[in-house]
Amino acid sequence: MKNILIVGAGGQIGSELVPHLQRIYGADHVVATDIKADTKSSQKLAQNGIFEELDALNAAQFAELVGRYRIDTIFNLVALLSATGEKNPQLAWKINMGALLNSLEIAREHRCAVFTPSSIGAFGESSPHDNTPQDTVMRPSTIYGVCKVTGELLGDYYHSRFGVDARSVRFPGIISNETLPGGGTTDYAVEIYYAAVRGQEFVCPIPQGSYMDMMYMPDALDAVVQLMEADPAKLVHRNSFNITAMSFEPSAIYEAIRRRRPDFKMTYNVDPVRAAIANSWPNKMDDSCARAEWGWSPKWDLESMTDDMLRVIADKYSKGLI
Ligand code: AKB
């Protein structure tokens, strides 16, 4: 990777992936783009490096930027997440598939590599829920999942048909302290830390006992770079690799926080849409193919992540930054 373009850079993953890539490849080699230039995260990206306003559905503008900056690697992070997608499935399809198709087509024309995340959301009720295999039944019940499975197939198609170096991981819920996620089913595992630091009771929308795979952002960032730098000859799979760092259900994260903040309180007000989505997803994926093919090995678990999340968020809170 020499010159990198990130579409949808202002979101939860992009706002941390951009500085991570800048540290490794140099700020002059990373172009962050987002549909809105006036959000807090876009303004921060613009202050710290190259930023361009880009609607990923505008193929001509997208291609012009790829040509102008001599881009060789595209990171497509544009997506409506699982719960938001259910509110407007047609829009979710238009945005999620439109951004991906443009990324792959422009990559074909300009000979770029492409990273685009898939998700645990690509699985469904009929997939095995425990130790969900890399290759198994994938019949998701959400439009988000339908887009993810289609995207995985498209990535492999562009690779076999046109030689586009398309790679992807199935991300679990990503937990981070820079930019909040929005509209996902796993968002509760981020929001709970903010409530704990603010001294508020947390009302959990996910039912007790509903296990999902999760990962702390530093591991997610390492995964992306490690996969994109992996020797292609060693990749049996491409789109997309199961990766996970931990699996827990709401009472486990609540207890982890309570061990550090004994006064913290959580109650449940289950959101039926999110609950149904969570229950259709894996409890825990088998990520042995990622470990074998490109050395995936997460560093953070629930305990170390909880220490770090509470420390970082409390520090921002004490400085009035959140
Ligand atoms: C969501 O909850 O929709 C996302 C995901 C797991 O893909 N965080």
Side-chain angles (χ1 to χ4, degrees):
M1 290 193 276
K2 283 201 182 79
N3 295 317
I4 299 164
L5 182 116
I6 299 115
V7 264
Q12 186 201 12
I13 297 177
S15 61
E16 295 196 49
L17 183 62
V18 169
H20 187 70
L21 295 173
Q22 286 170 334
R23 280 191 291 274
I24 299 172
Y25 301 99
D28 294 348
H29 297 274
V30 178
V31 181
T33 75
D34 199 85
I35 190 165
K36 287 191 190 133
D38 59 357
T39 61
K40 224 168 107 187
S41 57
S42 290
Q43 283 166 352
K44 194 163 175 193
L45 292 171
Q47 275 158 20
N48 296 321
I50 308 169
F51 178 86
E52 299 278 353
E53 197 172 72
L54 171 67
D55 175 355
L57 301 189
N58 183 337
Q61 195 195 354
F62 191 165
E64 191 278 321
L65 286 177
V66 167
R68 182 170 9 129
Y69 288 101
R70 299 175 184 278
I71 297 300
D72 58 50
T73 308
I74 297 169
F75 287 80
N76 166 43
L77 304 179
V78 174
L80 291 195
L81 297 186
S82 52
T84 308
E86 289 314 294
K87 290 188 188 139
N88 195 340
Q90 293 77 8
L91 183 69
W93 174 268
K94 186 176 163 206
I95 292 176
N96 296 7
M97 296 316 301
L100 176 59
L101 197 57
N102 280 349
S103 301
L104 290 168
E105 262 303 289
I106 291 165
R108 180 177 72 79
E109 285 160 9
H110 292 256
R111 303 190 153 277
C112 301
V114 179
F115 173 85
T116 197
S118 186
S119 159
I120 50 175
F123 295 106
E125 198 51 62
S126 51
S127 310
H129 283 224
D130 294 312
N131 289 320
T132 309
Q134 172 67 40
D135 301 310
T136 188
V137 179
M138 302 185 80
R139 310 255 329 151
S141 52
T142 61
I143 190 67
Y144 179 68
V146 170
C147 292
K148 289 303 185 192
V149 174
T150 313
E152 291 189 11
L153 293 172
L154 262 184
D156 278 345
Y157 178 75
Y158 267 73
H159 176 249
S160 61
R161 178 80 170 78
F162 302 120
V164 173
D165 186 359
R167 306 181 187 191
S168 170
V169 293
R170 292 180 186 133
F171 271 139
I174 306 285
I175 296 163
S176 65
N177 48 53
E178 175 67 27
T179 304
L180 282 167
T185 303
T186 58
D187 295 6
Y188 89 91
V190 179
E191 290 156 0
I192 192 170
Y193 288 108
Y194 284 82
V197 168
R198 292 187 171 118
Q200 294 164 346
E201 177 179 296
F202 181 65
V203 183
C204 185
I206 302 295
Q208 182 167 7
S210 193
Y211 281 84
M212 286 183 277
D213 284 298
M214 301 280 177
M215 182 179 296
Y216 198 27
M217 183 64 93
D219 276 334
L221 302 178
D222 285 346
V224 169
V225 172
Q226 227 182 323
L227 172 61
M228 293 312 282
E229 292 290 4
D231 177 356
K234 298 212 168 108
L235 299 182
V236 180
H237 298 86
R238 278 178 164 270
N239 300 279
S240 172
F241 284 95
N242 284 2
I243 56 167
T244 184
M246 57 192 104
S247 163
F248 56 77
E249 51 81 42
S251 66
I253 188 169
Y254 171 54
E255 289 304 335
I257 296 173
R258 257 169 59 93
R259 283 193 283 281
R260 289 141 179 102
R261 299 199 170 223
D263 294 338
F264 180 50
K265 294 262 177 305
M266 180 173 90
T267 55
Y268 291 90
N269 183 10
V270 171
D271 168 5
V273 173
R274 282 185 165 85
I277 296 174
N279 289 335
S280 75
W281 287 357
N283 298 331
K284 190 176 191 326
M285 290 185 291
D286 170 2
D287 60 6
S288 51
C289 290
R291 290 172 186 266
E293 292 175 38
W294 48 274
W296 161 243
S297 175
K299 299 184 184 67
W300 295 82
D301 61 15
L302 178 58
E303 296 302 325
S304 54
M305 176 181 77
T306 298
D307 281 333
D308 205 54
M309 282 293 282
L310 292 175
R311 183 185 59 76
V312 175
I313 297 169
D315 184 53
K316 288 190 187 181
Y317 190 62
S318 70
K319 292 178 178 148
L321 297 172
I322 55 166

